[in-house]
Amino acid sequence: MIDYSELKEAIIKGQAPVVPRLVQQFLDAGVSADQIIDQGLLPAMDTVGDKFKRNEYFVPQVLFSARAMKAGMEVVKPLLIGDLALQPRGTIVIGTARGDQHDIGKNLVAMMLESAGFRVIDLGTDVAPEKFIATARQENADLVSISALMTTTMAEMPHVIEVARNQGLRDKLKILIGGAPVTQQYASEIGADGYGENATDAVDIVRTLLQIKEA
């Protein structure tokens, strides 16, 4: 039985310099890259998400943990090229709505999704509805996540849904929205598939929408 406790603890505590060394030790011992990810890295970030939900962790701690997770992924990533045994849990296109330059919340959601095993295409801020959907089509995405931090830019969210519908993608493409002024009621009004109140909430909803079980 392989003991991942030290690796998990390093990620949970956000010890980015320590994680690559521990990951390399597992690789040197003959442990496969996908096993390290599935049994070490991903469960550690699930624990971080749980701590965030319980208000035991806050944004700075989550960011440190996500960076530690990313440092570990950088070690195993070269070994995954051409490896069909490990596939992303899904492809997510994420960005902040047109006219909105805020990105802290969006960045945190993107990092948490990546840490949960999703492939994330981050379009940044001030993203037009057409760009969200064009990228989703090009990347064969499963879900589009839109953030808005101002009430004025919330109005862009239904336009993204409308473009997806007009291009015949609405049935296969899930739409998730979030941000300070956004509510579940608004998500229901505009026909979004989900609403994330915070980063870990968003990850849970993505898992539910894409019917993915936790690691």
Side-chain angles (χ1 to χ4, degrees), residues 137-161:
R137 180 188 292 278
Q138 180 181 340
E139 301 292 340
N140 195 28
D142 302 288
L143 183 143
V144 168
S145 177
I146 318 162
S147 173
L149 272 294
M150 302 185 295
T151 54
T152 51
T153 56
M154 279 172 58
E156 291 294 321
M157 291 174 162
H159 296 322
V160 179
I161 296 173

mmCIF file with all atom_site columns, all heavy atoms in Angstrom, residues 137-161:
data_model
loop_
_atom_site.group_PDB
_atom_site.id
_atom_site.type_symbol
_atom_site.label_atom_id
_atom_site.label_alt_id
_atom_site.label_comp_id
_atom_site.label_asym_id
_atom_site.label_entity_id
_atom_site.label_seq_id
_atom_site.pdbx_PDB_ins_code
_atom_site.Cartn_x
_atom_site.Cartn_y
_atom_site.Cartn_z
_atom_site.occupancy
_atom_site.B_iso_or_equiv
_atom_site.pdbx_formal_charge
_atom_site.auth_seq_id
_atom_site.auth_comp_id
_atom_site.auth_asym_id
_atom_site.auth_atom_id
_atom_site.pdbx_PDB_model_num
ATOM 1   N N   . ARG A 1 137 ? -16.392 25.656 -29.217 1.00 0.00 ? 137 ARG A N   1
ATOM 2   C CA  . ARG A 1 137 ? -16.540 24.812 -30.407 1.00 0.00 ? 137 ARG A CA  1
ATOM 3   C C   . ARG A 1 137 ? -15.178 24.285 -30.856 1.00 0.00 ? 137 ARG A C   1
ATOM 4   O O   . ARG A 1 137 ? -15.009 23.089 -31.124 1.00 0.00 ? 137 ARG A O   1
ATOM 5   C CB  . ARG A 1 137 ? -17.197 25.614 -31.532 1.00 0.00 ? 137 ARG A CB  1
ATOM 6   C CG  . ARG A 1 137 ? -17.379 24.794 -32.819 1.00 0.00 ? 137 ARG A CG  1
ATOM 7   C CD  . ARG A 1 137 ? -17.841 25.678 -33.970 1.00 0.00 ? 137 ARG A CD  1
ATOM 8   N NE  . ARG A 1 137 ? -19.186 26.175 -33.784 1.00 0.00 ? 137 ARG A NE  1
ATOM 9   C CZ  . ARG A 1 137 ? -20.284 25.484 -34.075 1.00 0.00 ? 137 ARG A CZ  1
ATOM 10  N NH1 . ARG A 1 137 ? -20.184 24.250 -34.546 1.00 0.00 ? 137 ARG A NH1 1
ATOM 11  N NH2 . ARG A 1 137 ? -21.473 26.014 -33.897 1.00 0.00 ? 137 ARG A NH2 1
ATOM 12  N N   . GLN A 1 138 ? -14.193 25.184 -30.916 1.00 0.00 ? 138 GLN A N   1
ATOM 13  C CA  . GLN A 1 138 ? -12.854 24.820 -31.388 1.00 0.00 ? 138 GLN A CA  1
ATOM 14  C C   . GLN A 1 138 ? -12.198 23.774 -30.477 1.00 0.00 ? 138 GLN A C   1
ATOM 15  O O   . GLN A 1 138 ? -11.520 22.858 -30.956 1.00 0.00 ? 138 GLN A O   1
ATOM 16  C CB  . GLN A 1 138 ? -11.974 26.063 -31.453 1.00 0.00 ? 138 GLN A CB  1
ATOM 17  C CG  . GLN A 1 138 ? -10.557 25.811 -31.932 1.00 0.00 ? 138 GLN A CG  1
ATOM 18  C CD  . GLN A 1 138 ? -9.744  27.098 -31.948 1.00 0.00 ? 138 GLN A CD  1
ATOM 19  O OE1 . GLN A 1 138 ? -10.282 28.198 -31.958 1.00 0.00 ? 138 GLN A OE1 1
ATOM 20  N NE2 . GLN A 1 138 ? -8.430  26.951 -31.965 1.00 0.00 ? 138 GLN A NE2 1
ATOM 21  N N   . GLU A 1 139 ? -12.404 23.912 -29.179 1.00 0.00 ? 139 GLU A N   1
ATOM 22  C CA  . GLU A 1 139 ? -11.746 23.025 -28.208 1.00 0.00 ? 139 GLU A CA  1
ATOM 23  C C   . GLU A 1 139 ? -12.617 21.839 -27.807 1.00 0.00 ? 139 GLU A C   1
ATOM 24  O O   . GLU A 1 139 ? -12.218 21.041 -26.953 1.00 0.00 ? 139 GLU A O   1
ATOM 25  C CB  . GLU A 1 139 ? -11.366 23.820 -26.945 1.00 0.00 ? 139 GLU A CB  1
ATOM 26  C CG  . GLU A 1 139 ? -10.436 24.989 -27.194 1.00 0.00 ? 139 GLU A CG  1
ATOM 27  C CD  . GLU A 1 139 ? -9.039  24.542 -27.616 1.00 0.00 ? 139 GLU A CD  1
ATOM 28  O OE1 . GLU A 1 139 ? -8.691  23.366 -27.354 1.00 0.00 ? 139 GLU A OE1 1
ATOM 29  O OE2 . GLU A 1 139 ? -8.311  25.350 -28.214 1.00 0.00 ? 139 GLU A OE2 1
ATOM 30  N N   . ASN A 1 140 ? -13.791 21.744 -28.425 1.00 0.00 ? 140 ASN A N   1
ATOM 31  C CA  . ASN A 1 140 ? -14.741 20.666 -28.087 1.00 0.00 ? 140 ASN A CA  1
ATOM 32  C C   . ASN A 1 140 ? -14.998 20.642 -26.584 1.00 0.00 ? 140 ASN A C   1
ATOM 33  O O   . ASN A 1 140 ? -14.939 19.589 -25.925 1.00 0.00 ? 140 ASN A O   1
ATOM 34  C CB  . ASN A 1 140 ? -14.211 19.315 -28.564 1.00 0.00 ? 140 ASN A CB  1
ATOM 35  C CG  . ASN A 1 140 ? -15.289 18.245 -28.577 1.00 0.00 ? 140 ASN A CG  1
ATOM 36  O OD1 . ASN A 1 140 ? -16.475 18.553 -28.735 1.00 0.00 ? 140 ASN A OD1 1
ATOM 37  N ND2 . ASN A 1 140 ? -14.889 16.993 -28.402 1.00 0.00 ? 140 ASN A ND2 1
ATOM 38  N N   . ALA A 1 141 ? -15.283 21.816 -26.032 1.00 0.00 ? 141 ALA A N   1
ATOM 39  C CA  . ALA A 1 141 ? -15.462 21.968 -24.588 1.00 0.00 ? 141 ALA A CA  1
ATOM 40  C C   . ALA A 1 141 ? -16.766 21.345 -24.107 1.00 0.00 ? 141 ALA A C   1
ATOM 41  O O   . ALA A 1 141 ? -17.742 21.219 -24.860 1.00 0.00 ? 141 ALA A O   1
ATOM 42  C CB  . ALA A 1 141 ? -15.414 23.438 -24.201 1.00 0.00 ? 141 ALA A CB  1
ATOM 43  N N   . ASP A 1 142 ? -16.763 20.974 -22.843 1.00 0.00 ? 142 ASP A N   1
ATOM 44  C CA  . ASP A 1 142 ? -17.965 20.430 -22.208 1.00 0.00 ? 142 ASP A CA  1
ATOM 45  C C   . ASP A 1 142 ? -18.759 21.506 -21.487 1.00 0.00 ? 142 ASP A C   1
ATOM 46  O O   . ASP A 1 142 ? -19.971 21.368 -21.291 1.00 0.00 ? 142 ASP A O   1
ATOM 47  C CB  . ASP A 1 142 ? -17.564 19.360 -21.190 1.00 0.00 ? 142 ASP A CB  1
ATOM 48  C CG  . ASP A 1 142 ? -16.763 18.238 -21.816 1.00 0.00 ? 142 ASP A CG  1
ATOM 49  O OD1 . ASP A 1 142 ? -17.370 17.443 -22.550 1.00 0.00 ? 142 ASP A OD1 1
ATOM 50  O OD2 . ASP A 1 142 ? -15.543 18.170 -21.585 1.00 0.00 ? 142 ASP A OD2 1
ATOM 51  N N   . LEU A 1 143 ? -18.067 22.574 -21.081 1.00 0.00 ? 143 LEU A N   1
ATOM 52  C CA  . LEU A 1 143 ? -18.713 23.579 -20.240 1.00 0.00 ? 143 LEU A CA  1
ATOM 53  C C   . LEU A 1 143 ? -18.048 24.939 -20.421 1.00 0.00 ? 143 LEU A C   1
ATOM 54  O O   . LEU A 1 143 ? -16.839 25.017 -20.616 1.00 0.00 ? 143 LEU A O   1
ATOM 55  C CB  . LEU A 1 143 ? -18.641 23.136 -18.771 1.00 0.00 ? 143 LEU A CB  1
ATOM 56  C CG  . LEU A 1 143 ? -19.323 23.989 -17.708 1.00 0.00 ? 143 LEU A CG  1
ATOM 57  C CD1 . LEU A 1 143 ? -19.940 23.100 -16.621 1.00 0.00 ? 143 LEU A CD1 1
ATOM 58  C CD2 . LEU A 1 143 ? -18.334 24.966 -17.062 1.00 0.00 ? 143 LEU A CD2 1
ATOM 59  N N   . VAL A 1 144 ? -18.848 25.991 -20.348 1.00 0.00 ? 144 VAL A N   1
ATOM 60  C CA  . VAL A 1 144 ? -18.355 27.371 -20.346 1.00 0.00 ? 144 VAL A CA  1
ATOM 61  C C   . VAL A 1 144 ? -18.676 27.983 -18.995 1.00 0.00 ? 144 VAL A C   1
ATOM 62  O O   . VAL A 1 144 ? -19.816 27.908 -18.528 1.00 0.00 ? 144 VAL A O   1
ATOM 63  C CB  . VAL A 1 144 ? -18.998 28.208 -21.476 1.00 0.00 ? 144 VAL A CB  1
ATOM 64  C CG1 . VAL A 1 144 ? -18.696 29.687 -21.282 1.00 0.00 ? 144 VAL A CG1 1
ATOM 65  C CG2 . VAL A 1 144 ? -18.505 27.753 -22.833 1.00 0.00 ? 144 VAL A CG2 1
ATOM 66  N N   . SER A 1 145 ? -17.664 28.586 -18.373 1.00 0.00 ? 145 SER A N   1
ATOM 67  C CA  . SER A 1 145 ? -17.842 29.232 -17.070 1.00 0.00 ? 145 SER A CA  1
ATOM 68  C C   . SER A 1 145 ? -17.615 30.736 -17.229 1.00 0.00 ? 145 SER A C   1
ATOM 69  O O   . SER A 1 145 ? -16.558 31.164 -17.681 1.00 0.00 ? 145 SER A O   1
ATOM 70  C CB  . SER A 1 145 ? -16.854 28.648 -16.060 1.00 0.00 ? 145 SER A CB  1
ATOM 71  O OG  . SER A 1 145 ? -16.958 29.289 -14.820 1.00 0.00 ? 145 SER A OG  1
ATOM 72  N N   . ILE A 1 146 ? -18.614 31.518 -16.842 1.00 0.00 ? 146 ILE A N   1
ATOM 73  C CA  . ILE A 1 146 ? -18.564 32.974 -17.029 1.00 0.00 ? 146 ILE A CA  1
ATOM 74  C C   . ILE A 1 146 ? -18.621 33.666 -15.679 1.00 0.00 ? 146 ILE A C   1
ATOM 75  O O   . ILE A 1 146 ? -19.501 33.386 -14.863 1.00 0.00 ? 146 ILE A O   1
ATOM 76  C CB  . ILE A 1 146 ? -19.753 33.472 -17.883 1.00 0.00 ? 146 ILE A CB  1
ATOM 77  C CG1 . ILE A 1 146 ? -20.006 32.545 -19.065 1.00 0.00 ? 146 ILE A CG1 1
ATOM 78  C CG2 . ILE A 1 146 ? -19.508 34.908 -18.359 1.00 0.00 ? 146 ILE A CG2 1
ATOM 79  C CD1 . ILE A 1 146 ? -21.386 32.711 -19.679 1.00 0.00 ? 146 ILE A CD1 1
ATOM 80  N N   . SER A 1 147 ? -17.690 34.585 -15.454 1.00 0.00 ? 147 SER A N   1
ATOM 81  C CA  . SER A 1 147 ? -17.653 35.356 -14.213 1.00 0.00 ? 147 SER A CA  1
ATOM 82  C C   . SER A 1 147 ? -18.011 36.806 -14.492 1.00 0.00 ? 147 SER A C   1
ATOM 83  O O   . SER A 1 147 ? -17.652 37.347 -15.537 1.00 0.00 ? 147 SER A O   1
ATOM 84  C CB  . SER A 1 147 ? -16.246 35.271 -13.597 1.00 0.00 ? 147 SER A CB  1
ATOM 85  O OG  . SER A 1 147 ? -16.132 36.121 -12.482 1.00 0.00 ? 147 SER A OG  1
ATOM 86  N N   . ALA A 1 148 ? -18.728 37.425 -13.561 1.00 0.00 ? 148 ALA A N   1
ATOM 87  C CA  . ALA A 1 148 ? -19.022 38.860 -13.640 1.00 0.00 ? 148 ALA A CA  1
ATOM 88  C C   . ALA A 1 148 ? -18.973 39.442 -12.244 1.00 0.00 ? 148 ALA A C   1
ATOM 89  O O   . ALA A 1 148 ? -19.556 38.885 -11.312 1.00 0.00 ? 148 ALA A O   1
ATOM 90  C CB  . ALA A 1 148 ? -20.393 39.108 -14.266 1.00 0.00 ? 148 ALA A CB  1
ATOM 91  N N   . LEU A 1 149 ? -18.265 40.535 -12.100 1.00 0.00 ? 149 LEU A N   1
ATOM 92  C CA  . LEU A 1 149 ? -18.138 41.170 -10.786 1.00 0.00 ? 149 LEU A CA  1
ATOM 93  C C   . LEU A 1 149 ? -18.906 42.481 -10.701 1.00 0.00 ? 149 LEU A C   1
ATOM 94  O O   . LEU A 1 149 ? -18.866 43.156 -9.682  1.00 0.00 ? 149 LEU A O   1
ATOM 95  C CB  . LEU A 1 149 ? -16.659 41.411 -10.463 1.00 0.00 ? 149 LEU A CB  1
ATOM 96  C CG  . LEU A 1 149 ? -15.897 40.273 -9.775  1.00 0.00 ? 149 LEU A CG  1
ATOM 97  C CD1 . LEU A 1 149 ? -16.424 40.023 -8.382  1.00 0.00 ? 149 LEU A CD1 1
ATOM 98  C CD2 . LEU A 1 149 ? -15.928 38.981 -10.584 1.00 0.00 ? 149 LEU A CD2 1
ATOM 99  N N   . MET A 1 150 ? -19.598 42.836 -11.766 1.00 0.00 ? 150 MET A N   1
ATOM 100 C CA  . MET A 1 150 ? -20.400 44.065 -11.771 1.00 0.00 ? 150 MET A CA  1
ATOM 101 C C   . MET A 1 150 ? -21.793 43.754 -12.309 1.00 0.00 ? 150 MET A C   1
ATOM 102 O O   . MET A 1 150 ? -21.946 42.910 -13.203 1.00 0.00 ? 150 MET A O   1
ATOM 103 C CB  . MET A 1 150 ? -19.730 45.135 -12.644 1.00 0.00 ? 150 MET A CB  1
ATOM 104 C CG  . MET A 1 150 ? -18.322 45.511 -12.218 1.00 0.00 ? 150 MET A CG  1
ATOM 105 S SD  . MET A 1 150 ? -17.627 46.871 -13.193 1.00 0.00 ? 150 MET A SD  1
ATOM 106 C CE  . MET A 1 150 ? -17.534 46.133 -14.818 1.00 0.00 ? 150 MET A CE  1
ATOM 107 N N   . THR A 1 151 ? -22.784 44.452 -11.784 1.00 0.00 ? 151 THR A N   1
ATOM 108 C CA  . THR A 1 151 ? -24.154 44.217 -12.244 1.00 0.00 ? 151 THR A CA  1
ATOM 109 C C   . THR A 1 151 ? -24.306 44.565 -13.718 1.00 0.00 ? 151 THR A C   1
ATOM 110 O O   . THR A 1 151 ? -25.098 43.942 -14.431 1.00 0.00 ? 151 THR A O   1
ATOM 111 C CB  . THR A 1 151 ? -25.151 45.039 -11.411 1.00 0.00 ? 151 THR A CB  1
ATOM 112 O OG1 . THR A 1 151 ? -24.752 46.419 -11.430 1.00 0.00 ? 151 THR A OG1 1
ATOM 113 C CG2 . THR A 1 151 ? -25.178 44.557 -9.976  1.00 0.00 ? 151 THR A CG2 1
ATOM 114 N N   . THR A 1 152 ? -23.542 45.535 -14.189 1.00 0.00 ? 152 THR A N   1
ATOM 115 C CA  . THR A 1 152 ? -23.645 45.932 -15.600 1.00 0.00 ? 152 THR A CA  1
ATOM 116 C C   . THR A 1 152 ? -23.141 44.834 -16.538 1.00 0.00 ? 152 THR A C   1
ATOM 117 O O   . THR A 1 152 ? -23.678 44.649 -17.633 1.00 0.00 ? 152 THR A O   1
ATOM 118 C CB  . THR A 1 152 ? -22.855 47.221 -15.858 1.00 0.00 ? 152 THR A CB  1
ATOM 119 O OG1 . THR A 1 152 ? -21.527 47.064 -15.349 1.00 0.00 ? 152 THR A OG1 1
ATOM 120 C CG2 . THR A 1 152 ? -23.505 48.403 -15.180 1.00 0.00 ? 152 THR A CG2 1
ATOM 121 N N   . THR A 1 153 ? -22.116 44.089 -16.110 1.00 0.00 ? 153 THR A N   1
ATOM 122 C CA  . THR A 1 153 ? -21.570 43.051 -17.002 1.00 0.00 ? 153 THR A CA  1
ATOM 123 C C   . THR A 1 153 ? -22.311 41.723 -16.863 1.00 0.00 ? 153 THR A C   1
ATOM 124 O O   . THR A 1 153 ? -22.147 40.835 -17.704 1.00 0.00 ? 153 THR A O   1
ATOM 125 C CB  . THR A 1 153 ? -20.062 42.843 -16.737 1.00 0.00 ? 153 THR A CB  1
ATOM 126 O OG1 . THR A 1 153 ? -19.854 42.535 -15.357 1.00 0.00 ? 153 THR A OG1 1
ATOM 127 C CG2 . THR A 1 153 ? -19.291 44.096 -17.078 1.00 0.00 ? 153 THR A CG2 1
ATOM 128 N N   . MET A 1 154 ? -23.138 41.606 -15.828 1.00 0.00 ? 154 MET A N   1
ATOM 129 C CA  . MET A 1 154 ? -23.994 40.416 -15.722 1.00 0.00 ? 154 MET A CA  1
ATOM 130 C C   . MET A 1 154 ? -24.869 40.269 -16.953 1.00 0.00 ? 154 MET A C   1
ATOM 131 O O   . MET A 1 154 ? -25.204 39.157 -17.371 1.00 0.00 ? 154 MET A O   1
ATOM 132 C CB  . MET A 1 154 ? -24.909 40.519 -14.497 1.00 0.00 ? 154 MET A CB  1
ATOM 133 C CG  . MET A 1 154 ? -24.274 40.150 -13.184 1.00 0.00 ? 154 MET A CG  1
ATOM 134 S SD  . MET A 1 154 ? -25.393 40.551 -11.806 1.00 0.00 ? 154 MET A SD  1
ATOM 135 C CE  . MET A 1 154 ? -26.853 39.611 -12.218 1.00 0.00 ? 154 MET A CE  1
ATOM 136 N N   . ALA A 1 155 ? -25.226 41.389 -17.546 1.00 0.00 ? 155 ALA A N   1
ATOM 137 C CA  . ALA A 1 155 ? -26.122 41.374 -18.706 1.00 0.00 ? 155 ALA A CA  1
ATOM 138 C C   . ALA A 1 155 ? -25.515 40.676 -19.909 1.00 0.00 ? 155 ALA A C   1
ATOM 139 O O   . ALA A 1 155 ? -26.232 40.334 -20.861 1.00 0.00 ? 155 ALA A O   1
ATOM 140 C CB  . ALA A 1 155 ? -26.503 42.809 -19.073 1.00 0.00 ? 155 ALA A CB  1
ATOM 141 N N   . GLU A 1 156 ? -24.192 40.471 -19.892 1.00 0.00 ? 156 GLU A N   1
ATOM 142 C CA  . GLU A 1 156 ? -23.536 39.765 -20.996 1.00 0.00 ? 156 GLU A CA  1
ATOM 143 C C   . GLU A 1 156 ? -23.768 38.257 -20.927 1.00 0.00 ? 156 GLU A C   1
ATOM 144 O O   . GLU A 1 156 ? -23.659 37.557 -21.935 1.00 0.00 ? 156 GLU A O   1
ATOM 145 C CB  . GLU A 1 156 ? -22.028 40.043 -20.971 1.00 0.00 ? 156 GLU A CB  1
ATOM 146 C CG  . GLU A 1 156 ? -21.643 41.463 -21.327 1.00 0.00 ? 156 GLU A CG  1
ATOM 147 C CD  . GLU A 1 156 ? -21.977 41.797 -22.771 1.00 0.00 ? 156 GLU A CD  1
ATOM 148 O OE1 . GLU A 1 156 ? -21.793 40.924 -23.644 1.00 0.00 ? 156 GLU A OE1 1
ATOM 149 O OE2 . GLU A 1 156 ? -22.432 42.930 -23.030 1.00 0.00 ? 156 GLU A OE2 1
ATOM 150 N N   . MET A 1 157 ? -24.081 37.756 -19.744 1.00 0.00 ? 157 MET A N   1
ATOM 151 C CA  . MET A 1 157 ? -24.198 36.306 -19.560 1.00 0.00 ? 157 MET A CA  1
ATOM 152 C C   . MET A 1 157 ? -25.293 35.669 -20.414 1.00 0.00 ? 157 MET A C   1
ATOM 153 O O   . MET A 1 157 ? -25.048 34.654 -21.074 1.00 0.00 ? 157 MET A O   1
ATOM 154 C CB  . MET A 1 157 ? -24.403 35.983 -18.077 1.00 0.00 ? 157 MET A CB  1
ATOM 155 C CG  . MET A 1 157 ? -23.166 36.275 -17.234 1.00 0.00 ? 157 MET A CG  1
ATOM 156 S SD  . MET A 1 157 ? -23.439 36.069 -15.464 1.00 0.00 ? 157 MET A SD  1
ATOM 157 C CE  . MET A 1 157 ? -21.734 35.953 -14.888 1.00 0.00 ? 157 MET A CE  1
ATOM 158 N N   . PRO A 1 158 ? -26.499 36.234 -20.457 1.00 0.00 ? 158 PRO A N   1
ATOM 159 C CA  . PRO A 1 158 ? -27.518 35.619 -21.325 1.00 0.00 ? 158 PRO A CA  1
ATOM 160 C C   . PRO A 1 158 ? -27.157 35.673 -22.802 1.00 0.00 ? 158 PRO A C   1
ATOM 161 O O   . PRO A 1 158 ? -27.606 34.821 -23.573 1.00 0.00 ? 158 PRO A O   1
ATOM 162 C CB  . PRO A 1 158 ? -28.778 36.444 -21.026 1.00 0.00 ? 158 PRO A CB  1
ATOM 163 C CG  . PRO A 1 158 ? -28.306 37.686 -20.370 1.00 0.00 ? 158 PRO A CG  1
ATOM 164 C CD  . PRO A 1 158 ? -27.059 37.323 -19.648 1.00 0.00 ? 158 PRO A CD  1
ATOM 165 N N   . HIS A 1 159 ? -26.315 36.634 -23.193 1.00 0.00 ? 159 HIS A N   1
ATOM 166 C CA  . HIS A 1 159 ? -25.889 36.709 -24.593 1.00 0.00 ? 159 HIS A CA  1
ATOM 167 C C   . HIS A 1 159 ? -25.031 35.506 -24.965 1.00 0.00 ? 159 HIS A C   1
ATOM 168 O O   . HIS A 1 159 ? -25.100 35.003 -26.093 1.00 0.00 ? 159 HIS A O   1
ATOM 169 C CB  . HIS A 1 159 ? -25.118 38.001 -24.865 1.00 0.00 ? 159 HIS A CB  1
ATOM 170 C CG  . HIS A 1 159 ? -25.942 39.246 -24.696 1.00 0.00 ? 159 HIS A CG  1
ATOM 171 N ND1 . HIS A 1 159 ? -27.267 39.313 -25.077 1.00 0.00 ? 159 HIS A ND1 1
ATOM 172 C CD2 . HIS A 1 159 ? -25.631 40.474 -24.197 1.00 0.00 ? 159 HIS A CD2 1
ATOM 173 C CE1 . HIS A 1 159 ? -27.741 40.518 -24.821 1.00 0.00 ? 159 HIS A CE1 1
ATOM 174 N NE2 . HIS A 1 159 ? -26.774 41.244 -24.267 1.00 0.00 ? 159 HIS A NE2 1
ATOM 175 N N   . VAL A 1 160 ? -24.215 35.032 -24.008 1.00 0.00 ? 160 VAL A N   1
ATOM 176 C CA  . VAL A 1 160 ? -23.402 33.841 -24.257 1.00 0.00 ? 160 VAL A CA  1
ATOM 177 C C   . VAL A 1 160 ? -24.308 32.637 -24.503 1.00 0.00 ? 160 VAL A C   1
ATOM 178 O O   . VAL A 1 160 ? -24.097 31.853 -25.438 1.00 0.00 ? 160 VAL A O   1
ATOM 179 C CB  . VAL A 1 160 ? -22.452 33.558 -23.064 1.00 0.00 ? 160 VAL A CB  1
ATOM 180 C CG1 . VAL A 1 160 ? -21.634 32.292 -23.326 1.00 0.00 ? 160 VAL A CG1 1
ATOM 181 C CG2 . VAL A 1 160 ? -21.533 34.744 -22.811 1.00 0.00 ? 160 VAL A CG2 1
ATOM 182 N N   . ILE A 1 161 ? -25.336 32.515 -23.679 1.00 0.00 ? 161 ILE A N   1
ATOM 183 C CA  . ILE A 1 161 ? -26.288 31.412 -23.828 1.00 0.00 ? 161 ILE A CA  1
ATOM 184 C C   . ILE A 1 161 ? -27.015 31.519 -25.168 1.00 0.00 ? 161 ILE A C   1
ATOM 185 O O   . ILE A 1 161 ? -27.232 30.513 -25.864 1.00 0.00 ? 161 ILE A O   1
ATOM 186 C CB  . ILE A 1 161 ? -27.287 31.418 -22.656 1.00 0.00 ? 161 ILE A CB  1
ATOM 187 C CG1 . ILE A 1 161 ? -26.546 31.147 -21.341 1.00 0.00 ? 161 ILE A CG1 1
ATOM 188 C CG2 . ILE A 1 161 ? -28.399 30.387 -22.875 1.00 0.00 ? 161 ILE A CG2 1
ATOM 189 C CD1 . ILE A 1 161 ? -27.391 31.293 -20.093 1.00 0.00 ? 161 ILE A CD1 1
#
